[in-house]
Amino acid sequence: MCYAIPGKVEKIEKNMVIVDYFGEKRKALNELSQISVGDYIYAQGGFVVSKISALEAESILAVWKETFFQLQEVDLRLSRLNLGDRNADKSLLEILDRASQSKELSRAELLYLLELKDQAKLELFFKTANFLRQKYHKNSCCVHGIIEISNYCIRGCLYCGISNHNKELQRYRMTKDEILQAAQEAVQVYGFKSLVLQSGEDPGYSIDELADIIKEIKNKFPTLIFISFGEIGIDGLEKLYQAGARGLLMRFESSNPKIYEDVHLGQSLESRLMHLKEAYKIGYLIITGGLIGIPGQSKEDILNDIFLAKELHAEMFSFGPFIPHPHTPFAAIMPAQHPPVRASAQVEEVVKVLAIARIIDHTQAKILVTTALETLSREAAKSGLLAGANSLMLNVTPLAYRPFYAIYPNRAHQSEDINVQIESTVSLLRSLGRAPTDLEVIL
Ligand code: 5AD
């Protein structure tokens, strides 16, 4: 988005470039021809997205220069870790101290953290995750735009508001022109450098049509494209990669095969994992994760979920809360809301998962604050970003369609103009000292 800074190419080694951001060096893969040392580029998600003129870059950098260092300072201040509190629990301090030094924690220790309830202990745990985020990723934060191109879905996932169980939902499918227009606006008007195209599993688009749309977006509006169309088969993944998609957003939802198969009628975890593994082999960046709070899920399951995301080479972890939808089979069997679960307690459960993910994969992963988490509380994005997360997604689906992509009720930003989302995101990120360079830092 507009919250993105150009970098200067310092060095080129085959298809890898080293990019300088005010003295910080970061790595990116380059697939564009005609990039030379000294050029200014925009990069996102590890890829060079576009080249920009020196004149334009220098004027943007002049605006950023002072801000960049101020942001770094704010971030450093907010991520300072002090484990010297003598009143704190000794065994907790000992675990967090090892975590802060990037030492591996045992399963029992991770479960202990996942089960914490005491607010003072949780605060130290979240601060440790934030410290690790800062140490390995500096103040970088990435912001993707998501376009939900269709809410048709042939699947019957028991929890999902756009599954085929929901007969009350008005369905839509954007035309190619509508998708191109939404992409054009996202990239050219709002400055997004990375877009996720998402839909239910909708046979209404053929793979060739999707490939054609991706090619055209890549040609006209240079961006990093993630696809999220469900299980489209290996052939489909290959074709869309050839068309220019470079990322796959596909959650495995639950690593427990029994839970998976109970809630995804007629689907197998094996098939989902096969897609994720093959996509990685093809070269896709992987965004994956699961739902927190599916009925029957244990803390052990959740820990396994985080480990599975890492095993699948998640370049970004996406874990969000399950939110019951009234027009799904799960609404009926969800006594969870009687007595109602406090939103703050649900937020806490998910933020713990983000913090564990940061401890397990501190050096590599980006960790997303999901819209579902933001739906639970306005403060949730901030809480997540201060507990290890460093990534956000904004919704750039045309407003006329957005309410119909109702995977759960009352989604955050459902009727919020993109300008408003950008404004509040930029002000949140600035208040936390985060800057828009999301490439791997060379320490
Ligand atoms: N609550 C929260 N997230 C949901 N999703 C689907 N239904 C719900 C719900 N009721 C999530 C799934 C899917 C993503 C697109 O939306 O995890 O991967």
Side-chain angles (χ1 to χ4, degrees), residues 342-358:
R342 273 182 306 118
S344 60
Q346 278 179 287
V347 171
E348 200 169 276
E349 284 311 302
V350 177
V351 174
K352 280 196 252 180
V353 172
L354 306 185
I356 295 279
R358 176 55 69 211

Side-chain angles (χ1 to χ4, degrees), residues 90-300:
K90 290 279 167 304
S91 66
L92 173 71
L93 287 182
E94 196 271 327
I95 293 173
L96 295 180
D97 186 49
R98 273 188 289 119
S100 73
Q101 295 175 53
S102 311
K103 295 192 177 138
E104 207 172 302
L105 300 188
S106 70
R107 230 188 122 77
E109 288 165 337
L110 293 166
L111 274 173
Y112 162 75
L113 293 175
L114 208 47
E115 276 161 7
L116 284 178
K117 292 230 170 345
D118 177 88
Q119 289 305 313
K121 291 182 182 174
L122 280 172
E123 193 180 320
L124 275 180
F125 166 33
F126 294 159
K127 277 187 170 244
T128 305
N130 192 31
F131 169 83
L132 283 168
R133 188 270 316 148
Q134 197 284 330
K135 182 168 167 189
Y136 290 98
H137 298 263
K138 303 289 181 208
N139 66 340
S140 67
C141 188
C142 67
V143 184
H144 296 337
I146 180 162
I147 308 176
E148 293 144 348
I149 64 171
S150 155
N151 70 352
Y152 280 91
C153 190
I154 53 166
R155 300 290 188 183
C157 310
L158 296 189
Y159 51 82
C160 182
I162 67 164
S163 79
N164 62 18
H165 295 286
N166 190 351
K167 307 287 182 226
E168 319 232 341
L169 183 67
Q170 186 179 324
R171 304 281 169 169
Y172 72 89
R173 180 179 297 121
M174 288 168 68
T175 62
K176 177 180 172 184
D177 282 348
E178 286 176 314
I179 299 170
L180 286 173
Q181 198 189 330
Q184 185 247 328
E185 250 183 52
V187 176
Q188 294 186 338
V189 181
Y190 300 112
F192 282 87
K193 305 287 173 255
S194 160
L195 289 179
V196 179
L197 303 179
Q198 189 176 75
S199 67
E201 285 197 21
D202 179 7
Y205 300 112
S206 68
I207 289 295
D208 288 336
E209 282 167 327
L210 292 171
D212 186 45
I213 291 168
I214 290 167
K215 264 189 218 151
E216 205 154 326
I217 297 178
K218 289 289 289 183
N219 276 339
K220 292 189 168 155
F221 327 113
T223 31
L224 173 62
I225 296 182
F226 282 79
I227 52 166
S228 185
F229 306 133
E231 296 186 20
I232 56 171
I234 308 313
D235 202 40
L237 286 171
E238 262 160 11
K239 281 196 174 139
L240 298 191
Y241 189 88
Q242 276 157 23
R246 286 293 173 270
L248 172 71
L249 164 55
M250 180 189 265
R251 284 182 172 170
F252 51 78
E253 315 293 357
S254 169
S255 61
N256 179 330
K258 164 112 179 59
I259 295 182
Y260 187 93
E261 278 146 42
D262 281 351
V263 301
H264 302 101
L265 303 181
Q267 289 178 262
S268 75
L269 180 59
E270 205 184 332
S271 160
R272 178 124 310 205
L273 297 183
M274 187 271 291
H275 274 80
L276 283 158
K277 288 177 189 166
E278 290 299 321
Y280 180 72
K281 281 195 218 151
I282 293 171
Y284 279 98
L285 297 170
I286 304 293
I287 304 182
T288 192
L291 272 173
I292 308 299
I294 312 179
Q297 191 180 42
S298 67
K299 290 276 191 290
E300 294 258 354

